[in-house]
Amino acid sequence: MRYFFNHSLPWTEEIARFLFIWQVWIGVAYAARKGKHIRVDVLRDLAGVKGKYIFDLIFLICSIAFFSYLAYQSYSVVLAIKNMNQLSPANQIPMWIPYLAVFVGCVIGTLRFVQQLILKTIEMFRPAAAAKEVTE
């Protein structure tokens, strides 16, 4: 638009930014589901089978605590911004909607980490023979 018509659309940049924010925070939950979050595996790789489970459980518990706390804090920020009735400059979208992405992503991410914790716990206490049958 800028090169052909010598005019740009101001609302596109703002929508792109808001969509990117939502994409990143929904990606938190997706990465939690797939087990693709960044973590340091040096000590985990040196540990045995039980040690790996313990390191995984510590990682999951810390992740649950962190994302729960972040969800709690972001909820209060969303409420504060909603009470201000602030609108975005170009599209007049209520500003609490982009900020809501942090809360939604952290809640869904927390639920996914809890799901991973339950699955890891079940896997840890499953007898080796039963685990072999499931994989075959």
Side-chain angles (χ1 to χ4, degrees):
M1 290 285 297
R2 187 176 306 151
Y3 295 111
F4 292 113
F5 300 111
N6 202 20
H7 186 292
S8 65
L9 300 174
W11 59 271
T12 57
E13 186 270 332
E14 189 174 87
I15 292 293
R17 185 177 336 127
F18 292 162
L19 288 175
F20 181 71
I21 291 167
W22 274 93
Q23 176 186 358
V24 166
W25 284 102
I26 297 299
V28 167
Y30 181 76
R33 179 176 180 246
K34 296 290 187 180
K36 299 293 183 187
H37 271 280
I38 296 174
R39 61 181 174 187
V40 178
D41 288 340
V42 174
L43 292 176
R44 182 184 179 273
D45 291 342
L46 294 175
V49 175
K50 292 285 185 188
K52 287 182 182 184
Y53 283 124
I54 290 170
F55 277 113
D56 287 344
L57 294 179
I58 291 170
F59 168 75
L60 291 169
I61 290 169
C62 290
S63 296
I64 290 167
F66 174 75
F67 284 105
S68 298
Y69 178 74
L70 194 57
Y72 175 75
Q73 293 297 323
S74 65
Y75 181 73
S76 61
V77 170
V78 169
L79 286 181
I81 291 174
K82 188 173 182 181
N83 290 334
M84 286 188 236
N85 294 323
Q86 187 179 10
L87 300 174
S88 66
N91 295 314
Q92 299 299 302
I93 295 172
M95 283 304 293
W96 63 268
I97 293 173
Y99 281 89
L100 187 65
V102 179
F103 175 73
V104 170
C106 287
V107 167
I108 297 171
T110 300
L111 294 175
R112 287 297 187 178
F113 280 119
V114 169
Q115 178 188 31
Q116 293 295 322
L117 180 66
I118 292 169
L119 292 174
K120 272 291 181 199
T121 305
I122 290 170
E123 183 182 330
M124 182 165 39
F125 291 111
R126 181 184 306 158
K132 213 177 230 187
E133 289 176 13
V134 171
T135 57
E136 295 174 357

